[in-house]
Every structure is written in C-alpha cells, then in structure tokens.
C-alpha cells in the first residue's frame, strides 16, 4: 500500500474518542511514516477531542452538535491550532468523502454512522467498518453504494475480520467454497448466570466485560448478545450468505475469533489475543500486515479452548437476528433502532436489563417496514425515527 517514496495515507477517524478510535490512533502512532490523520470526529467529548487534535493536528475536527463544536473551536484557537472545527451532521459525510481522504475508520456507534459510511462508500474510499449498525440498517442500499463507488470495504469487528482473513481474496469464489461460517462469542459477563436473575442486573455489571474493553453501549449489547445478533446480520451482507449459513458458538476464551467451514468440511480459523488493534492494523494495511502493539499469543500457555451452544433463555436477543433477516426488508433496521433506544434506557436506569429483549421483540412484531422505506437514506432514517418513537412509548409504559 505504501512505499518509502509515496506520501502517507490520509485517514479520517469517525468516532475518534471511543474505544475503536483510540485504538486506531494507537496503531497509527506506531507507523507515522505510513499514515497521516486528516480528520477526527466525536459526539460530545470536547476535552478528549481537544487532546487528540493537539496531538495529531488534523485539518478538520467535527462535532455534530453546535454547542460542543463551538467550545472545541474556542479551545483550539486559544492553543493556536490550525484545525478547522465543523459542526452539523452533514459535516461527518463531508470529511468521510473528502477528496484528500484515502481511508475512513467508521467507528461511530449506532445508526448515526449510516450517512457518513454511505458517503465514504460512494466516494470510493477504503472503508474500515467498525460501525456494524451502518450495514445492519443500510443492508442492500449500503452494499450497492460500496459496489457503485468501487470502495474497498474491510470489516473491523474481530469476528468479521477473522472470517475475511480466512477467505480467499477472490470474492467470486466464496459461494463455491463455503458451507457455513461460525461467529464466536465470549458469552459476556452473564454466560453462567441464572436467567431468573436477569432482572436484577445493573448497568455497571453489564458493562464489566470479562475479555474486551469496549464502550458502554457495545458492552451492554455483548451482555445481552444483541451485539452478536447484529454481527450475524452484518455477516449476511459482508459475505453474501444465507441466514442459515451463519452460526454462533460461545467461546469463553476469546482466542478463536471466528471460523469458516468449507464445503469439504475443513475448518479455517483465525486466532489471536483479544485486542482490537489486531483487526484495526489489518484493515489499515491490507493486504500487508503491520505491527499492531498486541501481545503474542502463547499457545503453550493455553489451558483449553472450549465451545458452547448459546442458551436462548439467557440470550433471547441473539435469535432475533435470523428472524429479522427472514422478515421483510428493513426489519433489521427496526431491530437496531429498538435496541439502541432500549439500551440507552437501561443505561439511564429507566428499563430493566431483562426488558431490553421485550422492547426489541415488540418493535419487530408491531412495526413492519413500509414499502419503499429501504430504497433511500431518507426512507431508512424515517423508519429509524418511527421505530424509536414506538420504542420510547413502550419503555415509558414498562418503567424500571
């Protein structure tokens, strides 16, 4: 990708103050000759984004809301920084599609990442997709944008990166070679908890993941296994698979990140320590490999690698993924919007942990997508808003 005489690759990091964004910048810091930070964005962490701007000196910094953007602009001016601060949701799409950008790390959490991801895809960027919700919501529309823009789409979720690394580079041969794929899941903090006690779980307990360091929303999704449900949907689009070709197994050690079962029943797996810098570095440098900062996997010290079926009573949300994929187009967007509202309510102690699934299930049952809603970004965002209003009503009725 890069030679000693070529210029550094310019990267836009969407969601730079979150865990994926911070890990991305850590990898970039190890290879200053290869990469240049062109733009950074954050939702509300002004002080964190200020520190990143002073360290990386990007041309642009974006905060969608006007008030935090104004505060950041003032602080950068006081420091004599030349970074230009933009605000407004359209600014995310502007920096993602900017002609001077070579690659985009899409690490915004939730459906808010759909528009800038589509902009990057249409502009033909190398798109490093950590924002699984963009493809869960966008579905066929998102994949069409990737194809039409001739973008390079590389998954950053550890599971999908693992699958991608196990597949041949010729995408056209995937269907002829794959029997099915297996996405692994750690099981989160409640893998062995009595399902009858799920109503007692607190946000602090749900965010205490045993293996990975993640943001609060993703941590809750991991605890409910909705994160894995969204990954099933993402895998369907990334690898053009039928729903029945995607399976999930609980693997508590988080060492095997996922597997491909070939038609001859050979199993290809990608192993590594649970460190997001590994798939990030792979996405940045593909098809090369660069140092990521992760520790070496010492196989001789592993006591065992074990696997379990997911318990539907403990993790009912996982099984909504296949249901949504087999329902009307756009049902996956319904599931995602409902879950975002339910998780936010749980984190704010307005909803019990065990009620997250109830909200998701009711929205999926009660709000079938309308004809044409999935044909445009405006239609999808309208569906998203309609589901959120319905979910908020359900949440208010349930209480905590």
């Amino acid at each position: 990708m890069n030679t000693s005489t070529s210029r550094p690759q310019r990267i836009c990091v969407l969601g730079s103050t979150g865990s994926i964004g911070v890990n991305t910048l850590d990898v970039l810091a190890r290879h200053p000759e290869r990469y240049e930070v062109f733009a950074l964005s954050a939702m509300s962490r002004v002080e964190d984004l200020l520190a990143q701007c002073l360290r990386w000196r990007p041309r642009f910094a974006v905060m969608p809301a006007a008030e935090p953007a104004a505060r950041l602009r003032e602080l950068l001016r006081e420091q004599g920084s030349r970074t230009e601060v933009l605000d407004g949701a359209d600014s995310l799409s502007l920096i993602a599609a900017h002609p001077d950008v070579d690659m985009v790390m899409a690490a915004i959490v939730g459906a808010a990442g759909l528009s800038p991801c589509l902009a990057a895809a249409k502009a033909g960027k190398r798109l490093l997709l950590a924002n699984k919700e963009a493809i869960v919501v966008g579905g066929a529309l998102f994949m069409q944008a990737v194809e039409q823009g001739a973008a390079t789409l590389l998954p950053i979720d550890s599971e999908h990166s693992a699958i991608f690394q196990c597949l041949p580079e010729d995408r056209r041969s995937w269907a002829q070679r794959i029997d099915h794929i297996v996405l692994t899941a750690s099981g989160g903090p409640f893998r062995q908890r009595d399902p009858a006690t799920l109503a007692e779980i607190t946000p602090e307990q749900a965010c205490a993941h045993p293996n990975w360091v993640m943001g609060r929303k993703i941590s809750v999704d991991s605890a409910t296994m909705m994160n894995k449900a969204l990954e099933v949907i993402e895998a369907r689009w990334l690898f053009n698979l039928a729903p029945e070709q995607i399976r999930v197994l609980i693997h508590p050690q988080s060492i095997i990140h996922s597997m491909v079962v070939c038609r001859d029943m050979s199993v290809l797996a990608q192993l590594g320590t649970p460190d997001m810098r590994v798939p990030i570095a792979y996405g940045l440098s593909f098809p090369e490999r660069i140092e990521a900062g992760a520790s070496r996997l010492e196989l001789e010290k592993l006591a065992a690698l074990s696997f379990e079926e997911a318990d539907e009573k403990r993790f009912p949300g996982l099984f909504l993924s296949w249901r949504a994929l087999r329902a009307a187009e756009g049902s996956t967007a319904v599931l995602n919007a409902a879950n975002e509202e339910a998780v936010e309510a749980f984190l704010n102690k307005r909803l019990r942990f065990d009620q997250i699934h109830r909200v998701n299930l009711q929205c999926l049952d009660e709000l079938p997508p309308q004809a044409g809603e999935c044909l445009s970004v405006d239609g999808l965002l309208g569906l998203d808003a309609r589901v959120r209003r319905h979910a908020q009503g359900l949440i208010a009725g349930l209480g905590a």
Side-chain angles (χ1 to χ4, degrees):
M1 181 188 73
N2 193 33
T3 69
S4 59
T5 57
S6 64
R7 67 166 175 80
Q9 297 288 291
R10 299 188 183 113
I11 184 166
C12 166
V13 184
L14 302 174
S16 64
T17 61
S19 61
I20 295 294
V22 169
N23 277 312
T24 299
L25 294 175
D26 180 86
V27 175
L28 296 179
R30 299 169 189 276
H31 305 278
E33 76 288 351
R34 295 180 65 106
Y35 304 107
E36 175 186 334
V37 175
F38 180 83
L40 299 171
S41 85
M43 180 59 69
S44 58
R45 298 178 183 174
V46 175
E47 296 297 332
D48 290 348
L49 188 54
L50 171 66
Q52 290 179 344
C53 288
L54 295 177
R55 162 68 176 84
W56 292 97
R57 301 178 183 176
R59 190 185 305 181
F60 295 106
V62 171
M63 302 198 82
E67 186 175 339
R71 176 62 177 154
L72 178 65
R73 194 176 290 116
E74 177 185 354
L75 292 171
L76 284 172
R77 188 182 302 116
E78 291 174 358
Q79 295 290 333
S81 171
R82 295 185 178 182
T83 295
E84 182 179 352
V85 179
L86 307 176
D87 59 61
D90 290 345
S91 296
L92 294 172
S93 296
L94 186 151
I95 60 171
H98 196 286
D100 289 341
V101 166
D102 299 301
M103 63 180 77
V104 175
M105 170 57 76
I108 295 174
V109 175
L114 175 60
S115 293
C117 282
L118 280 170
K122 291 175 181 177
K125 306 301 183 184
R126 170 176 288 212
L127 180 56
L128 312 182
L129 189 67
N131 171 243
K132 65 177 65 65
E133 292 88 349
I135 198 168
V136 168
V137 175
L141 186 70
F142 180 85
M143 296 308 293
Q144 288 168 9
V146 171
E147 183 175 356
Q148 291 169 1
T152 301
L153 179 62
L154 296 168
I156 299 302
D157 272 343
S158 61
E159 297 82 0
H160 301 89
S161 177
I163 297 296
F164 185 83
Q165 293 180 56
C166 291
L167 291 171
E169 289 189 26
D170 182 8
R171 296 176 63 96
R172 294 169 297 181
S173 68
W174 288 357
Q176 288 73 41
R177 300 192 187 194
I178 298 175
D179 183 80
H180 67 277
I181 65 172
V182 178
L183 302 177
T184 57
S186 70
F190 310 130
R191 179 175 66 87
Q192 297 178 312
R193 183 157 179 151
D194 182 352
T197 69
L198 295 181
E200 305 166 7
I201 291 170
T202 67
E204 292 72 26
Q205 291 171 327
C207 291
H209 195 282
N211 298 340
W212 298 93
V213 177
M214 303 181 292
R216 284 168 62 80
K217 193 269 182 182
I218 298 175
S219 294
V220 175
D221 281 347
S222 180
T224 63
M225 288 275 276
M226 268 304 301
N227 192 45
K228 203 58 51 178
L230 298 178
E231 288 175 10
V232 168
I233 297 166
E234 182 181 6
R236 177 266 176 271
W237 291 108
L238 282 174
F239 307 117
N240 193 27
L241 299 172
E244 57 270 18
Q245 288 181 286
I246 308 167
R247 301 180 187 177
V248 172
L249 281 177
I250 291 183
H251 170 52
Q253 296 81 21
S254 296
I255 296 298
I256 296 178
H257 297 300
S258 279
M259 295 173 274
V260 173
V261 181
C262 303
R263 290 208 169 177
D264 62 3
M265 294 299 109
S266 296
V267 180
L268 307 178
Q270 187 263 338
L271 287 72
T273 53
D275 190 324
M276 282 307 300
R277 290 176 297 180
V278 174
I280 289 169
Y282 183 73
L284 287 168
S285 63
F286 176 81
E288 301 175 37
R289 289 185 184 266
I290 58 174
E291 193 268 327
S295 59
R296 183 172 67 89
L297 178 61
E298 297 178 315
L299 292 169
E300 67 277 10
K301 293 184 180 180
L302 294 178
L305 298 178
S306 60
F307 302 91
E308 308 164 8
E309 294 283 352
D311 181 352
E312 189 166 359
K313 290 182 179 179
R314 187 178 286 106
F315 302 118
L318 168 64
F319 299 87
L320 293 181
S321 57
W322 291 281
R323 180 170 176 171
L325 283 171
R326 293 186 176 106
E329 185 177 359
S331 296
T332 57
V334 172
L335 179 58
N336 179 74
N339 184 63
E340 287 190 20
E341 291 297 321
V343 170
E344 182 181 4
F346 167 69
L347 286 171
N348 290 314
K349 300 184 179 181
R350 294 185 288 109
L351 194 70
R352 295 199 316 263
F353 183 83
D354 62 318
Q355 293 174 325
I356 294 173
H357 174 68
R358 181 172 173 180
V359 171
N360 293 343
L361 179 60
Q362 280 193 246
C363 286
L364 199 56
D365 284 344
E366 296 170 3
L367 289 174
Q370 298 174 359
E373 280 186 310
C374 302
L375 300 179
S376 68
V377 176
D378 288 343
L380 285 169
L381 293 179
L383 172 61
D384 181 86
R386 184 162 64 90
V387 176
R388 289 176 189 274
R389 288 193 297 270
H390 190 77
Q392 288 164 6
L394 292 175
I395 292 164
L398 289 170

